[in-house]
Amino acid sequence: MDKRLLDILRCPVCKGILYYDKPAAELICRGDRLAYPIRDDIPVMLEEEARALGPEEEVPAT
């Protein structure tokens, strides 16, 4: 994931910062506890495509 792209992408729900979880190929919003998938190197920034993080899941550090 391009660092410059990460710098401008924001959560479409709360406009918060997204964190890249490389092993899971997801962009994580800590505030909303949503994980947006990355498919074919393209972030899918649709709320209905996001996965809700379970209470037992840790939010990755930056």
Side-chain angles (χ1 to χ4, degrees), residues 20-59:
Y20 180 41
D21 183 358
K22 187 174 184 173
E26 295 177 322
L27 294 175
I28 308 290
C29 175
R30 289 181 175 166
D32 293 322
R33 297 195 53 84
L34 293 174
Y36 295 93
I38 300 172
R39 297 185 188 128
D40 298 323
D41 292 328
I42 300 170
V44 181
M45 302 303 296
L46 301 171
E47 183 179 1
E48 55 270 7
E49 292 286 328
R51 177 178 69 84
L53 296 175
E56 71 285 348
E57 289 185 82
E58 290 187 33
V59 178

Side-chain angles (χ1 to χ4, degrees), residues 5-19 27-36 44-47 50:
L5 181 58
L6 282 175
D7 288 342
I8 61 170
L9 282 177
R10 295 291 181 253
C11 174
V13 177
C14 71
K15 310 301 183 242
I17 295 171
L18 295 169
Y19 300 90
L27 294 175
I28 308 290
C29 175
R30 289 181 175 166
D32 293 322
R33 297 195 53 84
L34 293 174
Y36 295 93
V44 181
M45 302 303 296
L46 301 171
E47 183 179 1

